[in-house]
């Protein structure tokens, strides 16, 4: 709803040629709704496994496409219907077969997970891969979309771990079981969360300058979801005790959701944006709205291409 309200404001301001979009009360209503949505997204990590929350970002693409067709009178394509059906089927599989319970996140639990061999090996692999990709990107000047999206996904895995830790410790504190905010690890994870989000925003902005949103949406969603699921499995042991058939059906649900998002995002009118506003969603979805959409958006462009998933 937020993205479509903001898009409507951009299109209306562009057609009328009036004041900048940020002077519109309607646009600020959209920003407020986005903030409320991201707050709920952040809180969800305190109650549910990250491997369940991250893939459900596909719901945002479906909802945005439906709202844009119904209220913004945009064209409904056959690929939109097929993609929506696949994404909804995948969502059903995810909700049904994903782990439905996660361990209570406490300061002691986070500290133990940080020094576990499983996580240390995974984290070292991430650091090495990140360094190699940064070398290719900065030193060799290889500007490939896959390199950019893997960099974002590697940061997203750190963001997911830290966001769930912070949200989980706040949840435990509110429940009154034990005060978690007195532990230094809470503030360490908070700093990691903010830092990783900031660098995600930086790389996403750079990617949006070089590539079209219709390319970034499906690739970023797939990479982010994969990194979030792996982080949840290795750090929070979310798949521990889950039967093999449930794991297989969960993977099938992810593949269906990936395909659905790709079909909805594909073949959209190309949108180039010099600068974008990116919220912290990603966490695991990062919605974006164009900073200068009045110069780049056409009335018939679907807002579903303005959705990124990261954090």
């Amino acid at each position: 709803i937020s993205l479509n309200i903001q898009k409507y404001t951009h299109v209306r301001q562009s057609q009328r040629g009036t004041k900048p979009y940020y002077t519109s009360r309607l646009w600020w209503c959209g920003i407020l709704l986005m903030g409320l949505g991201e707050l709920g997204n952040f809180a969800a990590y305190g109650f549910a496994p990250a491997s369940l929350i991250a893939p459900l970002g596909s719901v945002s693409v479906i909802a945005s496409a439906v709202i844009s067709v119904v209220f913004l009178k945009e064209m409904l394509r056959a690929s939109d219907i097929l993609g929506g059906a696949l994404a909804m089927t995948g969502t059903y599989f995810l909700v049904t077969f994903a782990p439905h319970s996660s361990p209570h996140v406490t300061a002691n639990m986070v500290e133990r997970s940080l020094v576990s061999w499983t996580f240390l090996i995974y984290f070292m692999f991430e650091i090495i891969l990140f360094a190699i990709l940064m070398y290719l990107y900065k030193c060799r000047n290889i500007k490939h979309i896959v390199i950019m999206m893997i960099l974002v996904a590697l940061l997203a895995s750190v963001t997911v771990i830290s966001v769930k830790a912070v949200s989980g410790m706040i949840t435990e504190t509110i429940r009154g079981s034990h005060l978690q905010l007195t532990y230094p690890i809470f503030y360490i994870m908070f700093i990691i969360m903010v830092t990783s989000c900031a660098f995600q925003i930086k790389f996403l902005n750079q990617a949006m300058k070089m590539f079209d949103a219709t390319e970034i949406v499906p690739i970023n969603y797939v990479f982010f979801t994969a990194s979030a699921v792996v982080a949840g499995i290795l750090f929070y042991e979310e798949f521990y005790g889950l039967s093999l058939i449930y794991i297989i059906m969960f993977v099938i649900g992810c593949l269906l959701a990936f395909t659905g998002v790709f079909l909805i995002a594909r073949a959209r009118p190309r949108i180039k944006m010099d600068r974008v506003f990116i919220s912290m969603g990603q966490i695991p979805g990062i919605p974006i709205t164009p900073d200068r959409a009045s110069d780049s958006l056409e009335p018939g462009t679907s807002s579903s291409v303005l959705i990124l998933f990261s954090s």
Side-chain angles (χ1 to χ4, degrees):
I1 295 174
S2 164
L3 290 170
N4 281 278
I5 286 177
Q6 292 175 69
K7 183 196 171 185
Y8 173 76
T9 306
H10 287 306
V11 174
R12 187 181 65 177
Q13 299 292 85
S14 176
Q15 291 175 341
R16 294 180 178 179
T18 55
K19 298 178 181 180
Y21 63 90
Y22 50 79
T23 61
S24 170
R25 293 181 180 179
L26 187 61
W27 186 82
W28 284 107
C29 287
I31 291 294
L32 177 62
L33 287 175
M34 178 181 287
L36 292 174
E38 295 306 329
L39 181 62
N41 194 40
F42 173 79
Y45 281 90
F47 298 95
S51 54
L52 171 61
I53 298 173
L56 290 180
S58 61
V59 176
S60 296
V61 179
I62 302 171
S64 184
V66 171
I67 292 172
S68 64
V69 169
V70 175
F71 293 100
L72 299 184
K73 308 303 180 184
E74 296 180 357
M75 182 180 65
L76 179 65
R77 306 171 307 162
S79 60
D80 294 332
I81 299 174
L82 178 59
L86 289 175
M88 290 178 65
T89 304
T91 300
Y92 172 78
F93 276 49
L94 291 170
V95 173
T96 303
F97 297 103
H100 288 168
S101 62
S102 58
H104 293 288
V105 180
T106 63
N108 291 331
M109 180 263 191
V110 173
E111 290 172 351
R112 288 195 305 269
S113 298
L114 282 173
V115 296
S116 66
W117 282 107
T118 305
F119 174 72
L120 290 176
I121 294 173
Y122 169 71
F123 190 61
M124 287 301 300
F125 171 77
E126 276 207 338
I127 292 176
I128 294 172
L129 181 58
F130 190 86
I132 293 173
L133 293 176
M134 283 299 295
Y135 170 76
L136 295 175
Y137 175 60
K138 292 290 187 180
C139 299
R140 307 293 294 183
N141 201 32
I142 301 177
K143 312 292 186 181
H144 197 279
I145 188 171
V146 173
I147 292 178
M148 297 295 296
M149 291 300 98
I150 292 178
L151 287 171
V152 173
L154 292 174
L155 291 169
S157 67
V158 178
T159 304
V160 167
I161 291 172
S162 57
V163 165
K164 184 167 178 60
V166 172
S167 181
M169 284 188 275
I170 291 175
T171 302
E172 289 298 309
T173 301
I174 294 174
R175 284 174 174 170
S177 58
H178 192 64
L179 183 62
Q180 302 292 317
L181 307 188
T182 57
Y183 290 89
I185 191 64
F186 172 82
Y187 300 97
I188 293 173
M189 297 305 286
F190 181 81
I191 293 173
I192 293 174
M193 177 185 72
V194 173
T195 304
S196 60
C197 281
F199 279 99
Q200 268 187 269
I201 292 172
K202 176 183 177 180
F203 284 115
L204 277 173
N205 274 310
Q206 292 176 359
M208 289 302 298
K209 291 178 182 178
M210 294 185 288
F211 307 102
D212 190 69
T214 57
E215 299 171 303
I216 293 177
V217 168
I219 296 175
N220 191 47
Y221 172 64
V222 171
F223 285 178
F224 164 76
T225 301
S227 65
V229 170
V230 171
I233 293 173
L234 296 179
F235 193 86
Y236 294 104
E237 299 180 346
E238 293 178 347
F239 276 28
Y240 181 77
L242 204 64
S243 65
L244 180 60
I245 185 64
Y246 270 67
I247 296 175
I248 293 173
M249 297 305 289
F250 176 84
V251 172
I252 292 175
C254 286
L255 293 176
L256 289 173
F258 294 163
T259 306
V261 170
F262 172 77
L263 289 175
I264 293 174
R266 68 185 287 271
R268 291 288 182 185
R270 298 185 66 81
I271 303 173
K272 288 293 183 182
M273 289 169 279
D274 294 329
R275 294 183 297 165
V276 294
F277 284 132
I278 304 181
S279 72
M280 287 178 58
Q282 236 159 93
I283 306 173
I286 298 184
I288 64 169
T289 54
D291 183 31
R292 301 183 60 126
S294 58
D295 298 328
S296 57
L297 276 180
E298 295 296 332
T301 304
S302 173
S303 58
S304 64
V305 300
L306 301 182
I307 300 175
L308 290 183
F309 301 92
S310 134
S311 338

